[in-house]
């Protein structure tokens, strides 16, 4: 399927530069972090992370790529658009349908700001698939920034003041909380945690890392050209993904 999609894209978008290919969702997420592409074509059913799982991790990122789903299952269309899908292509992908997607992508990429599908566009696409759009959910009321974290360490549970946290780092199923005397685990996903933190005090520097600003000592660039954050009084250095490098260019 990957070879077929590349063949169709070569015909529909000859000047497109393909910067990466992934065989599963985990690898795709890593490549998106590293390469910061403008567009990704995601299959719904992938090992590791499904296309919908991956899109859910991208949806709140201001610099997230446009996501075009390619799938044989129209049943996922509504979920796809709830994850800010740019388009939803059913297999087998017809060239003329792909060409319409490409034209819309070109227009969106040429626009000064990322263009999410409008309500009318979304309704039209869902109508094409024989589905009706769901009513939008009410936005939750803003909450006060997080002050305490309940974390596990071995068989014990510890209450950590947010001022003690040096940085957060996501793992497959948990989020690690690093403080001066060690590492603790919480089940709160990074996306949810970020929404609970004061953005003036905590900076997201990678899709899987949020660092406390007051513990940042500076930055450096390694031999691979990666931007790294140095921490006060600690040896580890944290990789800054391209999507968040602008945060440090003004320092």
């Amino acid at each position: 399927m990957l070879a077929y999609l590349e063949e169709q894209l070569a015909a529909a978008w000859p000047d497109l530069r393909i910067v990466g290919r992934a065989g599963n969702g985990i690898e795709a997420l890593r490549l998106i972090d590293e390469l910061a592409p403008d567009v990704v074509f995601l299959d719904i059913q992938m090992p590791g992370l499904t296309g919908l799982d991956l899109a859910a991790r991208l949806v709140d990122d201001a610099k997230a790529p446009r996501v075009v789903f390619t799938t044989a299952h129209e049943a996922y269309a509504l979920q796809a658009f709830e994850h800010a899908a740019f388009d939803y292509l059913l297999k087998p992908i017809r060239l003329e349908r792909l060409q319409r997607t490409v034209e819309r992508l070109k227009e969106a990429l040429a626009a000064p700001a990322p263009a999410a599908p409008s309500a009318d566009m979304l309704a039209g696409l869902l109508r094409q698939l024989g589905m009706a759009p769901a009513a939008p959910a009410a936005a939750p009321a803003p909450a006060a920034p997080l002050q305490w974290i309940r974390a596990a360490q071995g068989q014990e549970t510890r209450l950590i003041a947010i001022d003690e946290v040096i940085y957060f780092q996501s793992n497959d199923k948990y989020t690690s909380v690093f403080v001066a005397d060690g590492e603790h685990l919480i089940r709160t996903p990074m996306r949810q945690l970020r929404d609970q933190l004061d953005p003036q005090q905590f900076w997201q520097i990678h899709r899987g890392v949020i660092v406390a600003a007051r513990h940042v000592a500076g930055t450096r660039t390694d031999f691979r050209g990666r931007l790294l954050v140095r921490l006060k009084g600690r040896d580890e250095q944290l990789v800054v993904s391209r999507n968040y490098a602008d945060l440090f260019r003004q320092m």
Side-chain angles (χ1 to χ4, degrees):
M1 179 58 201
L2 191 59
Y4 175 77
L5 177 59
E6 289 191 27
E7 182 181 328
Q8 294 289 79
L9 281 170
W13 199 347
D15 54 344
L16 174 69
R17 187 167 70 93
I18 298 176
V19 296
R21 301 166 183 78
N24 58 64
I26 299 294
E27 185 181 4
L29 183 61
R30 179 183 63 77
L31 289 176
I32 290 169
D33 276 338
E34 289 184 5
L35 302 173
D38 295 318
V39 180
V40 294
F41 290 82
L42 293 180
D43 202 333
I44 293 286
Q45 295 181 323
M46 297 189 293
L49 285 175
T50 70
L52 292 172
D53 291 337
L54 178 53
R57 298 194 182 199
L58 301 173
V59 68
D60 288 338
D61 189 335
K63 297 183 179 180
R66 278 81 172 174
V67 175
V68 178
F69 285 101
T70 61
T71 177
H73 307 282
E74 65 181 39
Y76 298 108
L78 188 56
Q79 287 177 268
F81 286 112
E82 287 176 345
H83 291 83
F86 186 88
D87 209 343
Y88 191 91
L89 300 177
L90 288 174
K91 300 175 185 175
I93 300 172
R94 293 178 292 108
L95 181 59
E96 57 271 24
R97 177 67 177 85
L98 180 60
Q99 286 173 327
R100 292 203 298 271
T101 301
V102 168
E103 291 306 315
R104 289 182 49 233
L105 283 168
K106 288 180 177 179
E107 292 175 4
L109 293 172
S118 67
D120 289 344
M121 184 185 301
L122 173 58
L125 288 167
L126 290 174
R127 278 197 298 273
Q128 289 179 27
L129 296 165
M131 304 177 68
L146 192 66
Q147 297 299 316
W148 297 91
I149 293 172
R150 188 181 177 89
Q153 187 178 43
Q155 299 300 314
E156 298 183 358
T157 299
R158 175 177 167 181
L159 199 59
I160 301 173
I162 198 69
D163 291 342
E164 296 181 54
V165 177
I166 299 173
Y167 65 96
F168 300 96
Q169 188 167 47
S170 67
N171 301 306
D172 286 343
K173 296 181 180 178
Y174 301 95
T175 296
S176 294
V177 183
F178 289 87
V179 295
D181 62 355
E183 174 184 353
H184 306 268
L185 297 177
I186 59 176
R187 292 182 179 273
T188 308
M190 187 64 74
R191 175 183 167 191
Q192 180 180 340
L193 184 63
R194 181 195 60 195
D195 293 340
Q196 296 175 339
L197 296 171
D198 182 349
Q200 300 299 316
Q201 304 299 321
F202 287 89
W203 299 342
Q204 185 158 22
I205 62 171
H206 190 282
R207 193 177 310 282
V209 179
I210 295 175
V211 64
R214 66 193 184 92
H215 288 283
V216 173
T219 61
R220 75 175 187 88
T221 303
D222 70 3
F223 71 97
R224 295 169 58 186
R226 298 181 307 172
L227 184 64
L228 305 175
V229 165
R230 295 184 293 105
L231 299 171
K232 296 175 183 176
R234 296 179 70 92
D235 294 332
E236 69 263 46
Q237 299 184 17
L238 308 175
V239 176
V240 181
S241 71
R242 292 176 56 186
N243 282 339
Y244 300 96
D246 289 345
L247 179 66
F248 298 96
R249 292 203 173 101
Q250 299 176 355
M251 296 180 65

Coordinates of all heavy atoms in Angstrom, one line a residue, residues 143-149 162-163 168 192-204 210-214:
A143 N -9.5 25.6 34.4 CA -9.2 25.3 35.8 C -7.9 26.0 36.2 O -7.1 26.4 35.4 CB -9.0 23.8 35.9
A144 N -7.7 26.1 37.5 CA -6.5 26.7 38.1 C -5.3 25.7 37.8 O -5.5 24.5 37.7 CB -6.6 26.9 39.6
P145 N -4.1 26.3 37.6 CA -2.9 25.4 37.4 C -2.7 24.4 38.5 O -3.0 24.6 39.6 CB -1.8 26.4 37.3 CG -2.4 27.7 37.0 CD -3.7 27.7 37.6
L146 N -2.2 23.3 38.1 CA -1.9 22.2 39.0 C -0.9 22.6 40.1 O 0.1 23.3 39.8 CB -1.3 21.0 38.2 CG -1.2 19.6 38.8 CD1 -2.6 19.1 39.1 CD2 -0.4 18.7 37.9
Q147 N -1.2 22.2 41.3 CA -0.3 22.6 42.4 C 0.3 21.4 43.1 O 1.4 21.5 43.6 CB -1.1 23.3 43.5 CG -1.7 24.6 43.0 CD -0.7 25.6 42.6 OE1 0.3 25.8 43.3 NE2 -0.9 26.3 41.5
W148 N -0.3 20.2 43.0 CA 0.2 19.0 43.7 C 0.1 17.8 42.7 O -0.9 17.8 41.9 CB -0.6 18.7 44.9 CG -0.4 19.7 46.0 CD1 -1.2 20.8 46.2 CD2 0.6 19.8 47.0 NE1 -0.8 21.6 47.2 CE2 0.4 21.0 47.8 CE3 1.7 19.0 47.3 CZ2 1.2 21.4 48.8 CZ3 2.5 19.4 48.3 CH2 2.3 20.6 49.1
I149 N 1.0 16.9 42.8 CA 0.9 15.6 42.0 C 1.0 14.4 42.9 O 1.9 14.4 43.8 CB 2.1 15.6 41.0 CG1 1.9 16.7 40.0 CG2 2.1 14.3 40.3 CD1 3.1 16.9 39.1
I162 N 4.2 21.0 43.0 CA 4.5 21.3 41.6 C 5.9 22.0 41.5 O 6.6 21.9 40.6 CB 3.4 22.1 40.9 CG1 3.6 22.0 39.4 CG2 3.4 23.5 41.4 CD1 3.3 20.6 38.8
D163 N 6.2 22.8 42.6 CA 7.5 23.5 42.6 C 8.7 22.6 42.7 O 9.8 23.0 42.4 CB 7.5 24.6 43.7 CG 6.5 25.7 43.5 OD1 6.1 25.9 42.4 OD2 6.2 26.4 44.5
F168 N 9.0 16.6 33.3 CA 8.2 15.4 33.0 C 8.6 14.8 31.7 O 9.0 15.5 30.8 CB 6.7 15.9 32.9 CG 6.1 16.5 34.1 CD1 6.0 17.9 34.1 CD2 5.5 15.8 35.1 CE1 5.4 18.6 35.2 CE2 4.9 16.5 36.2 CZ 4.9 17.8 36.2
Q192 N -2.7 15.7 28.7 CA -3.6 16.1 29.8 C -2.8 16.9 30.8 O -3.3 17.9 31.4 CB -4.3 14.9 30.5 CG -5.2 15.3 31.6 CD -5.8 14.0 32.2 OE1 -5.8 12.9 31.6 NE2 -6.3 14.1 33.4
L193 N -1.6 16.5 31.1 CA -0.8 17.1 32.1 C -0.4 18.6 31.7 O -0.5 19.5 32.4 CB 0.5 16.3 32.3 CG 1.5 16.8 33.4 CD1 0.8 16.7 34.7 CD2 2.7 16.0 33.3
R194 N -0.1 18.7 30.4 CA 0.3 20.0 29.9 C -0.8 21.0 30.1 O -0.6 22.2 30.4 CB 0.6 19.9 28.4 CG 1.0 21.2 27.7 CD 1.0 21.0 26.2 NE -0.4 20.7 25.8 CZ -0.7 20.3 24.6 NH1 0.3 20.1 23.7 NH2 -1.9 20.0 24.2
D195 N -2.1 20.6 29.9 CA -3.2 21.5 30.0 C -3.4 21.9 31.4 O -4.1 22.9 31.7 CB -4.5 20.8 29.5 CG -4.4 20.6 28.0 OD1 -3.6 21.3 27.3 OD2 -5.2 19.7 27.5
Q196 N -2.8 21.2 32.4 CA -3.0 21.5 33.8 C -1.9 22.3 34.4 O -2.0 22.7 35.5 CB -3.2 20.2 34.6 CG -4.4 19.4 34.2 CD -4.4 18.0 35.0 OE1 -3.4 17.5 35.4 NE2 -5.6 17.5 35.1
L197 N -0.9 22.6 33.6 CA 0.3 23.3 34.1 C 0.3 24.7 33.7 O -0.3 25.1 32.7 CB 1.6 22.6 33.5 CG 1.9 21.2 34.0 CD1 3.0 20.6 33.2 CD2 2.1 21.1 35.5
D198 N 1.0 25.6 34.5 CA 1.1 27.0 34.2 C 2.1 27.1 33.0 O 3.3 26.8 33.2 CB 1.6 27.7 35.4 CG 1.7 29.2 35.2 OD1 1.6 29.7 34.0 OD2 1.9 30.0 36.2
P199 N 1.7 27.6 31.9 CA 2.6 27.7 30.7 C 3.8 28.6 30.9 O 4.8 28.6 30.2 CB 1.7 28.1 29.6 CG 0.6 28.8 30.2 CD 0.4 28.1 31.5
Q200 N 3.7 29.5 31.9 CA 4.8 30.4 32.2 C 5.8 29.7 33.0 O 7.0 30.2 33.0 CB 4.3 31.7 33.0 CG 3.2 32.5 32.2 CD 3.7 33.0 30.9 OE1 4.9 33.5 30.9 NE2 2.9 32.9 29.9
Q201 N 5.5 28.7 33.7 CA 6.4 28.0 34.6 C 6.9 26.7 34.0 O 8.0 26.2 34.3 CB 5.7 27.7 35.9 CG 5.1 28.9 36.6 CD 6.2 29.9 37.0 OE1 7.3 29.5 37.4 NE2 5.9 31.1 36.9
F202 N 6.2 26.1 33.1 CA 6.6 24.8 32.4 C 6.5 25.0 30.9 O 5.5 25.4 30.4 CB 5.6 23.7 32.9 CG 5.9 23.3 34.3 CD1 5.2 23.9 35.4 CD2 6.8 22.3 34.6 CE1 5.4 23.6 36.7 CE2 7.0 21.9 36.0 CZ 6.3 22.6 37.0
W203 N 7.6 24.6 30.3 CA 7.7 24.7 28.8 C 7.8 23.3 28.2 O 8.6 22.4 28.6 CB 9.0 25.4 28.4 CG 9.1 26.8 29.0 CD1 8.1 27.6 29.4 CD2 10.3 27.6 29.1 NE1 8.6 28.8 29.8 CE2 10.0 28.8 29.6 CE3 11.7 27.3 28.8 CZ2 10.9 29.8 29.9 CZ3 12.6 28.3 29.0 CH2 12.2 29.5 29.6
Q204 N 6.9 23.1 27.2 CA 7.0 21.8 26.5 C 8.1 22.0 25.4 O 8.1 23.0 24.6 CB 5.7 21.5 25.8 CG 5.7 20.2 25.1 CD 4.4 19.5 24.8 OE1 3.4 20.3 24.8 NE2 4.3 18.2 24.6
I210 N 8.2 18.0 29.2 CA 7.9 19.3 29.6 C 8.9 19.6 30.8 O 9.0 18.8 31.7 CB 6.4 19.4 30.2 CG1 5.4 19.1 29.0 CG2 6.2 20.7 30.8 CD1 4.0 19.1 29.5
V211 N 9.5 20.8 30.7 CA 10.6 21.1 31.7 C 10.2 22.3 32.4 O 9.5 23.2 31.9 CB 11.9 21.3 30.9 CG1 11.8 22.5 30.0 CG2 13.0 21.5 31.9
A212 N 10.5 22.4 33.7 CA 10.3 23.6 34.6 C 11.3 24.7 34.1 O 12.5 24.4 34.2 CB 10.4 23.2 36.0
A213 N 10.7 25.8 33.8 CA 11.6 26.9 33.2 C 12.7 27.3 34.2 O 13.8 27.6 33.8 CB 10.7 28.1 32.9
R214 N 12.4 27.3 35.5 CA 13.4 27.8 36.5 C 14.6 26.8 36.6 O 15.6 27.1 37.2 CB 12.8 28.0 37.8 CG 12.2 26.8 38.6 CD 11.3 27.3 39.7 NE 10.9 26.1 40.5 CZ 11.5 25.7 41.6 NH1 12.6 26.3 42.0 NH2 11.1 24.7 42.3

